[in-house]
Amino acid sequence: QVQLVESGGGLVQAGGSLRLSCAASGSIFSIRPMGWYRQVPGKQRVLVASITSGGTTNYADSVKGRFTISRDNAKSLVYLQMNSLKPEDTAVYYCNADGSYGFWGQGTQVTVSS
């Protein structure tokens, strides 16, 4: 079992930055693939960024060059640094372990005002 707790969401103006954090507890964090997804009302949850146990990253086209995912295996933390935020980035952001059939956090709201 893995428990995930997100933090760092909030309200920011367009062009601003936020850093989301996800604290993981449970077993063997260091070998688990981790990811950040986001969801807006009425739409499916979609992958924003992912990172493997070895540090290989993958990004949705819409966030490439603006968002950076990273992990600290010693502290069981995963981060999402979000720069140059746009109103269309507004969503609930979820931390994930082990892919879409794995474990989820409760989500944190990110709102970008124009």
Side-chain angles (χ1 to χ4, degrees):
Q1 283 288 345
V2 176
Q3 293 79 45
L4 303 171
V5 179
E6 302 98 336
S7 61
L11 173 64
V12 64
Q13 287 189 330
S17 298
L18 283 174
R19 189 176 81 156
L20 305 182
S21 299
C22 174
S25 60
S27 61
I28 321 175
F29 172 84
S30 63
I31 67 170
R32 295 183 183 278
M34 301 294 297
W36 287 95
Y37 288 69
R38 67 187 182 189
Q39 187 171 25
V40 298
K43 294 192 175 182
Q44 285 189 322
R45 195 173 296 187
V46 295
L47 178 67
V48 175
S50 63
I51 185 166
T52 67
S53 59
T56 300
T57 57
N58 180 55
Y59 297 92
D61 287 343
S62 59
V63 306
K64 281 181 181 176
R66 300 188 298 121
F67 290 12
T68 302
I69 188 171
S70 61
R71 66 191 296 164
D72 184 337
N73 287 336
K75 296 182 179 179
S76 297
L77 291 167
V78 61
Y79 303 101
L80 185 68
Q81 178 66 44
M82 304 186 294
N83 299 328
S84 302
L85 282 160
K86 304 175 181 180
E88 51 264 43
D89 294 318
T90 296
V92 177
Y93 283 72
Y94 295 90
C95 182
N96 168 268
D98 295 351
S100 56
Y101 293 98
F103 302 94
W104 297 92
Q106 82 286 353
T108 186
Q109 177 71 46
V110 171
T111 303
V112 184
S113 63
S114 56

